[in-house]
């Protein structure tokens, strides 16, 4: 299994050299940008999109708020489950990083001494993106594009073969899609319970200003109505 790409005539290796060759031709500052984006930027961007979408759902509220938040909660959970599923896959395949078997690669980040297949980054990014797509199509389409860009950058950085990335994209997609019905069946009642909670309900739906005003007026009315009664009793 470790010899998935032992030959330079392998299309996987050829594509690796073609994509990574772009890093050699690029100026150093651009490679630094790509390194940051590939290591952290795409993941941070996807997490920010999930939070942004949650804030919009919470602000809008409505009867579907709990199920929408449940779908958003599933996105990071799917990413975590997908990475856990990848642990035995990596241990079984035991594919070395491409720079260990092939010379002349422009490696943009050091310290990658674990196995290469399947790419954890690609798995995380795609599970997050697909989970977000299930919750919100508009945000999800942007997230899917980000996930594909993140996978491309991992090859550009010289730390993964193209098939490592393809495997990660497939794994993240499969986990997010296949386990979604079970996740929603468990998470939706939980989010509805949170929505009913006086202290944690704001996590699901913000109380409209008009509703806050009516509650405050009712409270003031009760307080004002109690004063005459107290005076009558005192009289």
């Amino acid at each position: 299994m470790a010899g998935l790409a032992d030959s330079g005539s392998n299309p996987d290796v050829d594509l690796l050299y073609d994509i990574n060759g772009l890093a050699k031709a690029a100026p150093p500052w651009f490679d630094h940008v790509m390194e940051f984006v590939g290591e952290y930027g795409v993941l941070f961007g996807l997490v920010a999109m999930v939070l942004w979408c949650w804030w919009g759902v919470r602000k809008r509220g409505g009867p579907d708020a709990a199920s929408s938040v449940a779908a958003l909660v599933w996105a990071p959970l799917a990413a975590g489950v997908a990475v856990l599923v990848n642990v035995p896959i990596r241990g079984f395949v035991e594919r070395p990083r491409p720079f260990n078997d092939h010379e002349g690669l422009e490696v943009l980040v050091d310290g990658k001494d674990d196995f290469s297949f399947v790419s954890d980054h690609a798995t995380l990014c795609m599970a997050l993106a697909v989970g977000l797509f299930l919750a919100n199509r508009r945000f999800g389409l942007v997230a899917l594009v980000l996930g594909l860009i993140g996978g491309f950058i991992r090859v550009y950085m010289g730390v993964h073969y193209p098939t490592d990335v393809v495997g990660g994209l497939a794994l993240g997609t499969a986990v997010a899609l296949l386990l979604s019905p079970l996740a929603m069946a468990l998470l939706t009642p939980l989010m509805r319970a949170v929505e009913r909670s006086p202290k944690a309900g704001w996590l699901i739906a913000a109380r409209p200003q008009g509703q806050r005003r009516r509650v405050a007026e009712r409270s003031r009315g009760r307080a004002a109505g109690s004063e005459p009664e107290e005076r009558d009793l005192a009289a």
Side-chain angles (χ1 to χ4, degrees), residues 82-98:
V83 170
L84 290 177
V85 172
N86 190 29
V87 171
I89 296 176
R90 280 190 156 201
F92 176 71
V93 177
E94 294 186 345
R95 187 185 203 182
R97 295 278 182 170

Side-chain angles (χ1 to χ4, degrees), residues 82-202:
V83 170
L84 290 177
V85 172
N86 190 29
V87 171
I89 296 176
R90 280 190 156 201
F92 176 71
V93 177
E94 294 186 345
R95 187 185 203 182
R97 295 278 182 170
F99 51 79
N100 290 324
D101 290 340
H102 304 285
E103 297 179 354
L105 293 173
E106 186 77 8
V107 182
L108 302 186
V109 60
D110 298 325
K112 300 293 183 181
D113 54 1
D114 54 347
F115 295 124
S116 185
F117 185 92
V118 175
S119 167
D120 274 339
H121 270 77
T123 301
L124 275 169
C125 289
M126 192 50 62
L128 274 169
V130 172
L132 184 53
F133 181 80
L134 294 174
N136 185 293
R137 297 294 186 267
R138 181 166 56 90
F139 279 81
L141 286 174
V142 177
L144 289 171
V145 173
L146 277 179
L148 294 174
I149 291 174
F152 175 86
I153 295 176
R154 300 304 290 176
V155 182
Y156 179 97
M157 294 168 60
V159 295
H160 280 295
Y161 294 99
T163 48
D164 298 338
V165 170
V166 172
L169 299 177
L171 177 59
T173 300
V175 169
L177 285 180
L178 295 179
L179 296 183
S180 176
L182 175 61
M184 291 300 295
L186 296 174
L187 289 172
T188 301
L190 177 60
M191 293 303 107
R192 285 177 179 153
V194 172
E195 186 179 22
R196 292 192 295 268
S197 169
K199 294 184 178 180
W202 65 270

